[in-house]
Amino acid sequence: MTNIKYLLDMFLNYDIVSIEMMKNEFNVSDRKIRQLLSDLRNYETTNGFHIKTIIKQGYYLQVDDESKFDNFKDYIQETEVDISGNKEYRVSVIISLLLQNKSYITINEIAEILDVSRNTIISDIEVMKETIAGYNLELVSKPHYGIKMIGEEVSVRKILSKIMTNIIDHQLDSIEYFEFTKELQFDDVKKKFEELLHDYEIVMSANAVESIMIHLRVLMYRISQKNEIHDVQVNKDLIGKQSYQLAQELSDFISANYDVEIQKQEIDLLASQIFGKVTSNEIPEEQKQELRKSINCALEKIDKEYATQFSGDELLKESLLLHVYPLLLRVTFGLELSSSLVGSISAQYTNSFLVSLRFIEHHKELRKYKLSRDEIGYLALHFATHHERNNQKLLENVRHIVIVSDTLRSNLQLLNLQVQSIFPNARVMIKPYSAKLEFHVEEIDLILSTLPLSEEYDKLTILIPEVLSEQYLRKLKSKVLFQMADASEKVPSLDRLFYEDIFFYEDGNDYLEILSKYSKKMVERGYANEDFPESLIVREKRFTTVYDNGVAGPHSMHQNANIDSIGVIIMKHPIRYENRDVRCIFMLNIREKHLFLHQEISEFIMKVMSDTRAVDLLYQSKSFKEFKVHVKEIW
């Protein structure tokens, strides 16, 4: 592992130390060795030594001040020097790992995840003990099993809230993998790959094709990060020429169309992936079932350990099957990158690397081999992708957002667009800041404010700058995912406002009589307040709500519903009111203060009245169930 003490020992024991010698000693990449050298040189000036370079040979130690250097050596021998990054960040990650997992974790596993030495983790744990003091949490250790942390849920949530900001702040860039691959347009590559499969008369399942596309997206991301493979060995005799030729042609196509250079070892790895996916079709059904069984068994054990739901994710299991089989075909598992692929995994996916370690341990075939850190990183991406899918669902469930700001209107419009880019299903309401600002929290999922608000809104509020950079948008996304893991709809969404017992068909001719008749039924069935029928008729006589395309949206003068709801009347034959056709009537029965709900309803009515086909679909509905299907299609 990267440790200054061991590196200094090499310089004391050898006249010249080459990069190759250091790589063999520490078993890491060139990039990691150069970083280690840079970190050691940070101590040069004040400690009486210099690391000198001899071109094409290596490095040697020059001592300028024996007394200072001797003191430094003594210090190094007694202290584990932290060269591996921010200690506070590591302590936060360790706490997060311990709190979010049910079982014991070994110190070696934590060291592997954070890419530091065992001694560094032991030192971090001592600092961690000070951090958790006062939180009513207990660190428990068990020989041969590791450590775990136990405590009340209140204490767990309290300290997680404290440390998560630190984790997010230090790993903002790592979420870029998912952002990069989301924007990558790969339809032409997929089409070319399918054409090549046809030309080579190769049959590959749709899932296998998609698995190759995922591999290529990872490849493109690594190229964008200048993160290259240094060592991967495959059984070329086993794979054969056909997979190599196909991999070469596909690589040439990508190089020409995306202006990238794909190195030979990348093509070797791609060929092994293609061969593995092709031969996965030829696996005897008995062997395939055995592979599925071993994967599912490993996932079930992980679910039991960590209270996850991996074994229920069919897409994850299929992806793992298509990944594990080619992996088992390789002769050696030495894949090494310029920088660890784990760096591509977002802060909230710290556990993914740990889960992949556990998966290997629980998988009866994989555990026979020593996989490199980068091989484990590739495996971890499947688990990270599972989390990403779940997180995307959470973001889609955030429906009602308020932005509070005293900034310029032009900035507010930009804020609005940026926020909606993260929350695709959200309705955003902008409010100017006021000391007397009040919200009904039951209908709000998230408040983004440029100024602190009163304490009663703390759980919903995230403070933001007046201008959101791309980096801060990623940070905001991570904060919301952590803060709103249990995001849910606090007030009914539009499609939940329709009820079967207030859904009617009518063949009458008098519009106002029809409104009176069915508004009274809404009162009788407990949805509307007793003054609803009269108030609705008064409002309709003053100003009709019969719109274009035969749509009407009458509502009362008072917003005092018992149950937020919309009564629906489908006319069997169009009728006329104030020189307009009426075919579909929506009687709006909503409580006051539900600003988002009113906004949703208004948008729905506008969509229906401006779309003749939508009105036709609703008008022709033969049942309430069919009507609900059409509403969802429109919305």
Side-chain angles (χ1 to χ4, degrees), residues 6 35 43 68 133 147 172 209 246 249 258 272 275 287 289 331 334 377 390-391 403 429 454 470 488 570 591 622 624:
Y6 298 146
Q35 180 62 49
Y43 293 91
K68 286 184 178 180
I147 59 176
L172 280 179
V209 170
L246 199 160
E249 287 193 49
Y258 290 85
S272 75
F275 177 76
Q287 185 182 352
Q289 290 304 319
V331 174
N390 288 345
N391 284 341
I403 297 177
M429 185 170 293
S454 61
E470 287 300 316
S488 60
I570 303 295
R591 287 171 290 177
K622 303 301 181 184
F624 176 72

Side-chain angles (χ1 to χ4, degrees), residues 367-420:
R367 67 186 175 208
K368 296 176 184 178
Y369 302 96
K370 180 175 174 57
L371 273 67
S372 71
R373 179 175 171 81
D374 290 307
E375 291 279 10
I376 298 168
Y378 260 99
L379 196 56
L381 277 176
H382 289 289
F383 295 102
T385 303
H386 164 91
H387 288 301
E388 177 67 10
R389 286 199 302 269
N390 288 345
N391 284 341
Q392 189 59 39
K393 289 178 183 175
L394 284 177
L395 294 177
E396 289 170 1
N397 282 340
V398 177
R399 300 186 47 113
H400 303 140
I401 300 175
V402 175
I403 297 177
V404 179
S405 177
D406 61 350
T407 189
L408 296 174
R409 175 166 290 276
S410 58
N411 286 349
L412 285 174
Q413 293 307 316
L414 177 59
L415 275 176
N416 189 355
L417 291 172
Q418 290 175 317
V419 169
Q420 288 190 322

Side-chain angles (χ1 to χ4, degrees), residues 219-479:
L219 167 62
M220 293 292 286
Y221 176 73
R222 288 193 288 96
I223 290 176
S224 76
Q225 301 295 303
K226 296 181 173 56
N227 185 4
E228 299 177 339
I229 291 177
H230 283 283
D231 182 29
V232 59
Q233 298 179 39
V234 297
N235 188 335
K236 296 185 179 181
D237 293 332
L238 174 65
I239 291 173
K241 291 183 179 180
Q242 190 179 53
S243 293
Y244 272 100
Q245 290 171 346
L246 199 160
Q248 183 67 63
E249 287 193 49
L250 185 58
S251 298
D252 290 344
F253 177 83
I254 294 172
S255 296
N257 286 272
Y258 290 85
D259 193 26
V260 296
E261 183 178 347
I262 301 177
Q263 63 179 134
K264 182 180 179 300
Q265 293 213 80
E266 293 282 10
I267 298 172
D268 289 347
L269 181 59
L270 177 58
S272 75
Q273 291 290 317
I274 291 171
F275 177 76
K277 305 299 186 287
V278 172
T279 53
S280 67
N281 285 334
E282 301 167 4
I283 308 173
E285 189 59 32
E286 184 178 345
Q287 185 182 352
K288 185 176 288 188
Q289 290 304 319
E290 187 62 29
L291 278 170
R292 292 186 190 278
K293 184 178 177 181
S294 62
I295 288 171
N296 194 62
C297 181
L299 293 178
E300 284 179 347
K301 288 179 179 178
I302 291 169
D303 286 345
K304 188 174 180 180
E305 278 185 293
Y306 301 118
T308 51
Q309 292 85 41
F310 294 121
S311 61
D313 187 338
E314 295 300 324
L315 186 57
L316 170 65
K317 289 193 284 189
E318 188 67 22
S319 298
L320 286 173
L321 176 68
L322 292 169
H323 182 99
V324 168
Y325 183 68
L327 192 60
L328 291 171
L329 287 175
R330 291 199 204 144
V331 174
T332 61
F333 303 92
L335 186 148
E336 183 182 310
L337 304 173
S338 301
S339 60
S340 175
L341 190 66
V342 179
S344 298
I345 300 175
S346 166
Q348 63 253 30
Y349 310 133
T350 305
N351 284 351
S352 295
F353 193 78
L354 176 62
V355 167
S356 63
L357 289 172
R358 284 287 202 265
F359 179 79
I360 293 163
E361 183 181 328
H362 291 313
H363 193 282
K364 64 181 183 180
E365 291 296 326
L366 286 178
R367 67 186 175 208
K368 296 176 184 178
Y369 302 96
K370 180 175 174 57
L371 273 67
S372 71
R373 179 175 171 81
D374 290 307
E375 291 279 10
I376 298 168
Y378 260 99
L379 196 56
L381 277 176
H382 289 289
F383 295 102
T385 303
H386 164 91
H387 288 301
E388 177 67 10
R389 286 199 302 269
N390 288 345
N391 284 341
Q392 189 59 39
K393 289 178 183 175
L394 284 177
L395 294 177
E396 289 170 1
N397 282 340
V398 177
R399 300 186 47 113
H400 303 140
I401 300 175
V402 175
I403 297 177
V404 179
S405 177
D406 61 350
T407 189
L408 296 174
R409 175 166 290 276
S410 58
N411 286 349
L412 285 174
Q413 293 307 316
L414 177 59
L415 275 176
N416 189 355
L417 291 172
Q418 290 175 317
V419 169
Q420 288 190 322
S421 71
I422 299 176
F423 307 100
N425 293 336
R427 279 164 179 77
V428 180
M429 185 170 293
I430 299 174
K431 290 281 188 180
Y433 177 79
S434 166
K436 296 183 179 180
L437 200 61
E438 291 185 0
F439 300 110
H440 289 259
V441 296
E442 70 273 6
E443 69 165 337
I444 298 173
D445 291 320
L446 177 64
I447 300 173
L448 303 175
S449 178
T450 58
L451 296 166
L453 303 179
S454 61
E455 290 183 6
E456 62 184 302
Y457 306 124
D458 278 352
K459 290 184 178 180
L460 290 172
T461 304
I462 293 178
L463 290 176
I464 60 171
E466 292 184 358
V467 178
L468 302 183
S469 64
E470 287 300 316
Q471 185 184 43
Y472 191 85
L473 281 172
R474 290 195 295 273
K475 181 176 180 179
L476 175 62
K477 179 179 176 180
S478 294
K479 277 187 173 183

Side-chain angles (χ1 to χ4, degrees), residues 477-540:
K477 179 179 176 180
S478 294
K479 277 187 173 183
V480 171
L481 283 171
F482 174 70
Q483 184 168 320
M484 301 191 66
D486 298 320
S488 60
E489 298 171 14
K490 297 181 178 65
V491 294
S493 58
L494 181 80
D495 65 326
R496 295 186 182 181
L497 295 176
F498 299 104
Y499 296 88
E500 190 165 7
D501 60 342
I502 51 172
F503 176 80
F504 310 103
Y505 289 101
E506 173 61 41
D507 59 0
N509 293 311
D510 191 311
Y511 175 67
L512 294 180
E513 281 188 9
I514 291 170
L515 293 187
S516 178
K517 173 183 175 181
Y518 290 107
S519 62
K520 287 176 182 177
K521 288 185 180 293
M522 291 181 69
V523 174
E524 292 169 4
R525 295 172 188 181
Y527 292 93
N529 188 278
E530 60 183 11
D531 67 353
F532 179 66
E534 182 181 353
S535 181
L536 183 142
I537 297 297
V538 170
R539 171 68 177 76
E540 195 65 18

